[in-house]
Amino acid sequence: MKVHVAPVEKAYLDAAWRRLDRFTKPPRSLGKLEELAARIAAIQRTDRPRLGPGAVVVAAADHGVAWEEGVSAYPPEVTYQMVLNFLAGGAAINQIAAEADARVYVLDVGVRGPDFPKAEGLIQARVRPGTGNLAKAPAMRLEEAEAALKAGYEAAKWALREGATLLAAGDMGIGNTTAAAALTAAFLGLPAREVTGRGTGVEGEAYARKVRAVEAALRRAEEKLGHLDRAPALAVAAELGGLELLAAAGVFLAGAEAGVPVVADGFPVTAGALVAVRLVPEVRDYLFAGHRSVEPGHARQLESLGLFPVLDLGLRLGEGTGAVLAFPVLRAAARVLAGMATFEEAGVSEG
Amino acid sequence: MKVHVAPVEKAYLDAAWRRLDRFTKPPRSLGKLEELAARIAAIQRTDRPRLGPGAVVVAAADHGVAWEEGVSAYPPEVTYQMVLNFLAGGAAINQIAAEADARVYVLDVGVRGPDFPKAEGLIQARVRPGTGNLAKAPAMRLEEAEAALKAGYEAAKWALREGATLLAAGDMGIGNTTAAAALTAAFLGLPAREVTGRGTGVEGEAYARKVRAVEAALRRAEEKLGHLDRAPALAVAAELGGLELLAAAGVFLAGAEAGVPVVADGFPVTAGALVAVRLVPEVRDYLFAGHRSVEPGHARQLESLGLFPVLDLGLRLGEGTGAVLAFPVLRAAARVLAGMATFEEAGVSEG
């Protein structure tokens, strides 16, 4: 899979900042909103950016580690059930997306269970019915990692064809904060414990099992690939999973390639963002952090990507909720840059 | 002016939380979004809240202290010029409001200068052309404070009649962070220096003058009224100003009385919220903090009101920008509570 992402040009950033600094407001008084505006302008190669409808690709897949090691507060069949819930419109992401002018695309990239009935917004592209147990075996083969990446990429292309001007990735997969912790520890060179959180609410012995599973996975992958922060990103992702995290990476690749802002969600999806940026560093120019979750590893991921979160409301749900919740703020940022008057235009005295 | 605000009933809050805890998500995994949802439900006396169009009343007035003491980075005539800019649609609040489905009402409650030409959204209710210099004399008479409060109240009633289901107050007034610092120090019993910030960007000797002006105002008011945190709120506000801060208080009173969520903006408007809550404590039940600004006193105000900010993007502009930017998040919170499915409804297994 060949992806061409043009780096954002500094000239557009500079032009955006020049405009922002001439507007009728104390310089930089809109804080980080101005940074968002300038980055969106540069992505769109204009100094009058505009964001219209958005979309979120909610990638769903299962995790062998959830079945075999008991690392989650929820039974693994919840992944399947939640996909049905997304399709029926009953999940949090459906409500938030409806409010934020975003379409929901549900991508089955590796759910375990029977095929889903045909439904609007469902993209069936199951690479395999859940990963292997990363604590004991590769999560998937390299070709499967490529296929999962491609599934996310194609789903995003579909959303773009249907009019999305702003893209988020979301995730559903019982056990996926375990895979995300392993990936994050691998890429950032951090110990498992520092990036392994409570996920959907795992406590006590189950949490200890989760940490041990991440540690075992890292040891296993390291024996095979050597230093994980220097090994090929796709090989590392194949070892540690999961399928939906790779799909999220594919969404970011497609959005960046199309010149559209892409918004990361919580800890699992941002692990996907790490994969995408390792594969194509220019993706970073197109990437925004919708929010900061309570997962301890999420802040580390955002630091390493050099991103600040638009929202910080203590979310820990996933599904793309924190990403889509940030859409209106990104749109407002763009609109400020497109529509405000300068001091000269408005006849306002300067300080 | 008699205002009747019904306290929010705990039964509605409890019912909202019961629903939220049955939805298809780990309990409380939407973090503070769930708190927003529950509070909006209780305000609307329902467990299916819904927020439609919003409005922001941008109250504008001048400050004698800006003319006489040089406490601002901008010349005082900017207040007048910015009102024209609001009416022409060139300001930040115009852009943000357009994106957030909010109408902008501009309330001239005390701008210095000629009358404004008639314009859509302009409410002309000038109580006096700017306050007195609070460092040396009362900002206004008690009857003027009442009139400014009433002007905000009436402006909000107009916005409500025109369909607002969600209300913010915004501010424009060169010098108003000086008045807001004095009010905040008075009500919270804090030294001037702790709550006096850089406003639109004042530095060096001008900043020192600003602190001295606040200190002088507090001494003067205290000599007259005794302990300011125990003196009648309206009398304190009359001493320290400003007219637009009182108008903001009036907006909050009207919104709360009508059973509508009211959203505070930055440091000046939240000083108005302090006045409103001192006058009618039940207003607190209806009040939300749109954001936390970089003004050091703003965090202190929010603490004292027991509010968390929806956004924290380093804004320091005012005009209601940080309040209106939070509207889509409040709407999404309401929608989550109105529309999500429970575990039973969706057939999803629980942890």
Side-chain angles (χ1 to χ4, degrees), chain A residues 24 29 81 85 90 316 341 349, chain B residues 24 29 32 81 85 90 316 341 349:
Chain A
T24 47
S29 60
Q81 295 164 345
N85 194 23
R316 53 181 178 86
S349 310
Chain B
T24 48
S29 60
K32 291 172 178 168
Q81 295 165 344
N85 194 23
R316 54 182 178 85
S349 311

Side-chain angles (χ1 to χ4, degrees), chain B residues 86-319:
Chain B
F86 296 144
L87 297 172
I93 188 60
N94 301 103
Q95 306 307 320
I96 291 172
E99 198 59 57
D101 190 16
R103 269 196 211 183
V104 178
Y105 297 85
V106 184
L107 171 64
D108 170 10
V109 66
V111 179
R112 209 193 262 202
D115 278 355
F116 290 104
K118 272 210 165 94
E120 214 200 303
L122 172 67
I123 303 167
Q124 192 72 254
R126 207 177 282 180
V127 172
R128 52 181 280 174
T131 52
N133 173 5
L134 78 171
K136 298 191 174 150
M140 65 193 89
R141 291 181 295 118
L142 191 63
E143 309 84 75
E144 290 167 339
E146 267 166 19
L149 190 74
K150 187 139 198 291
Y153 177 85
E154 294 296 343
K157 298 274 270 185
W158 186 19
L160 290 165
R161 275 194 304 276
E162 292 198 340
T165 65
L166 183 58
L167 265 182
D171 65 296
M172 180 67 226
I174 296 298
N176 74 8
T177 57
T178 303
L183 268 181
T184 304
F187 287 142
L188 273 50
L190 293 170
R193 196 166 288 273
E194 266 185 49
V195 294
T196 305
R198 304 286 168 176
T200 50
V202 78
E203 305 283 350
E205 175 51 28
Y207 175 70
R209 279 200 301 274
K210 183 176 179 178
V211 174
R212 284 197 300 271
V214 174
E215 287 169 343
L218 290 169
R219 268 197 309 275
R220 195 184 46 68
E222 212 156 43
E223 274 167 27
K224 190 158 162 188
L225 299 171
H227 277 297
L228 295 178
D229 50 350
R230 277 172 261 156
L234 210 59
V236 174
E239 286 301 321
L240 305 175
L243 294 150
E244 80 280 40
L245 310 189
L246 279 151
V251 170
F252 295 135
L253 290 177
E257 186 176 53
V260 160
V262 288
V263 187
D265 188 39
F267 185 55
V269 162
T270 310
L274 292 178
V275 174
V277 169
R278 296 249 159 175
L279 293 174
V280 183
E282 293 77 13
V283 168
R284 163 62 185 76
D285 290 354
Y286 296 81
L287 195 61
F288 295 82
H291 80 123
R292 172 163 47 210
S293 89
V294 298
E295 277 287 312
H298 194 210
R300 307 300 297 265
Q301 294 172 329
L302 297 184
E303 271 165 44
S304 94
L305 289 164
L307 299 175
F308 65 83
V310 174
L311 292 160
D312 193 1
L313 294 172
L315 273 57
R316 54 182 178 85
L317 176 57
E319 305 179 358

Side-chain angles (χ1 to χ4, degrees), chain A residues 24 26-27 29-32 73-74 78 81 85 90 95 98-99 200 311 313-316 331 335 339-341 346 348-349 351, chain B residues 24 26-27 29-32 73-74 78 81 85 90 95 98-99 200 311 313-316 331 335 339-341 346 348-349 351:
Chain A
T24 47
S29 60
L30 284 173
K32 291 173 178 167
Y74 284 80
V78 164
Q81 295 164 345
N85 194 23
Q95 305 307 319
E99 198 59 55
T200 50
L311 292 160
L313 293 172
L315 272 57
R316 53 181 178 86
R331 287 194 190 103
R335 192 139 179 169
M340 268 188 79
V348 174
S349 310
Chain B
T24 48
S29 60
L30 284 173
K32 291 172 178 168
Y74 284 80
V78 165
Q81 295 165 344
N85 194 23
Q95 306 307 320
E99 198 59 57
T200 50
L311 292 160
L313 294 172
L315 273 57
R316 54 182 178 85
R331 287 194 190 103
R335 192 138 180 171
M340 268 188 79
V348 173
S349 311

Side-chain angles (χ1 to χ4, degrees), chain A residues 255-268:
Chain A
E257 186 176 52
V260 161
V262 289
V263 187
D265 188 39
F267 185 55

